[in-house]
Amino acid sequence: MIQSNYDTKIISISNQKGGVGKTTTAINLGTALAAAHKKILIIDLDSQRNATTGLGINHHTTNSYQLLLGKITAEQAIMATKIPNLHLIPSSVDLSGAEIELTHMQNREYLLKNALASIKGQFDYILIDCPPALGYLTLNALCASNSVMVPLQCEFYALEGLSHLLKTIGRVKQKLNPLLNIEGIVLTMYDKRNNLSDLVANDVKNHLGDKVYQTIIPRNIRISEAPSHGKPVLLYDYQCSGSTAYIDLAGEILQQHQERIPA
């Protein structure tokens, strides 16, 4: 068992819009932080299982669905990946029906938080890859987290969707988890050939200031190819622009939490 020597930071990676880079950010940020000798756990809470397959995991007997429903413990759900310091609680297609099952359960918003209580202190960072909807799965992630990281695609409707998401996070903070904060906004799928990408990036920075990370994730073919090989882009092509960006993002986060080092 991993020694309990860490002050764990739990971050939900969330956006109610699909296709904005949530899973890509979870996998590659987790890999970059693990490369910096941090103990990382990724929780795949999306029934599409993209974070699970993106880390090359296809066959597993325990998953986040069983964890939520109390059928297994967090210790039983965690599995090692091929990447040193990086662990995973894989997803299951059964999560697609979990919303209905959770409706009738007591304290249904806090099931994940309670399940993770036994492993807090065993990791530096727990990154939760949320589904693209505000249901009970995402609420569980937000209630279990210290903060929310929002990947935001550089496209026309980005600000409109972001405004709605920030209001949702505010309601969760007010009603369910007073400790929840915005970790940061990470701009994704930036295309330097497209003037619209610059306009969106500037708009977001003007509205949210230092909540927006300096690092911008580019639209990069190697990022798109990596999941089909079951690898983070940092392992698939370490020198591509996508890998460099996620390494830079990890550097920003470590700088932000520089007091948080292993005991």
Side-chain angles (χ1 to χ4, degrees):
M1 176 169 292
I2 301 168
Q3 292 293 317
S4 299
N5 289 338
Y6 300 94
D7 173 22
T8 302
K9 179 79 171 173
I10 305 179
I11 303 174
S12 283
I13 300 178
S14 180
N15 191 320
Q16 290 164 239
K17 188 177 183 302
V20 298
K22 291 188 299 295
T23 299
T24 300
T25 297
I27 290 174
N28 291 294
L29 176 59
T31 301
L33 289 169
H37 307 293
K38 299 298 179 183
K39 296 289 186 182
I40 309 299
L41 173 64
I42 294 175
I43 302 176
D44 189 349
L45 213 59
D46 189 343
S47 63
Q48 296 180 69
R49 303 178 60 251
N50 291 336
T52 301
T53 56
L55 286 169
I57 307 297
N58 294 308
H59 304 290
H60 52 86
T61 56
T62 58
N63 52 62
S64 56
Y65 169 78
Q66 295 170 318
L67 177 65
L68 271 177
L69 269 62
K71 297 180 179 180
I72 57 172
T73 65
E75 287 87 350
Q76 292 170 323
I78 295 170
M79 62 185 302
T81 70
K82 295 177 181 178
I83 302 162
N85 297 321
L86 182 63
H87 295 74
L88 172 73
I89 295 181
S91 178
S92 164
V93 293
D94 293 328
L95 278 175
S96 58
E99 296 286 345
I100 298 172
E101 295 181 68
L102 294 177
T103 301
H104 307 291
M105 299 182 69
Q106 288 187 332
N107 296 317
R108 53 186 175 263
E109 297 90 352
Y110 300 102
L111 296 175
L112 183 61
K113 179 180 180 180
N114 295 336
L116 296 180
S118 63
I119 61 166
K120 283 196 73 173
Q122 295 181 20
F123 297 93
D124 289 300
Y125 290 90
I126 297 176
L127 305 178
I128 306 176
D129 184 26
C130 296
L134 184 69
Y136 286 123
L137 293 176
T138 299
L139 279 177
N140 264 270
L142 296 179
C143 288
S145 298
N146 309 113
S147 60
V148 188
M149 179 180 291
V150 183
L152 191 70
Q153 188 175 356
C154 292
E155 65 169 24
F156 184 69
Y157 292 110
L159 274 177
E160 183 179 329
L162 177 63
S163 175
H164 183 58
L165 177 62
L166 294 179
K167 287 178 183 176
T168 298
I169 293 170
R171 291 191 192 103
V172 173
K173 180 180 176 73
Q174 184 179 16
K175 302 288 186 181
L176 298 170
N177 180 7
L179 301 179
L180 186 67
N181 291 303
I182 302 291
E183 181 72 23
I185 313 294
V186 55
L187 294 167
T188 63
M189 303 182 189
Y190 175 83
D191 187 347
K192 62 183 179 183
R193 301 166 300 178
N194 187 341
N195 289 337
L196 181 60
S197 286
D198 276 326
L199 290 173
V200 171
N202 290 332
D203 267 357
V204 174
K205 288 178 179 178
N206 287 337
H207 279 79
L208 294 166
D210 59 5
K211 282 295 182 186
V212 184
Y213 291 108
Q214 292 298 311
T215 302
I216 297 178
I217 310 301
R219 189 178 291 277
N220 177 244
I221 188 64
R222 307 303 267 174
I223 291 178
S224 303
E225 291 172 349
S228 66
H229 296 269
K231 294 179 179 179
V233 71
L234 279 82
L235 296 187
Y236 181 63
D237 184 348
Y238 181 77
Q239 294 183 319
C240 75
S241 60
S243 293
T244 302
Y246 278 111
I247 292 167
D248 290 344
L249 179 61
E252 277 197 67
I253 290 168
L254 291 174
Q255 217 169 14
Q256 205 171 328
H257 305 140
Q258 57 187 322
E259 76 284 1
R260 299 182 58 262
I261 57 174

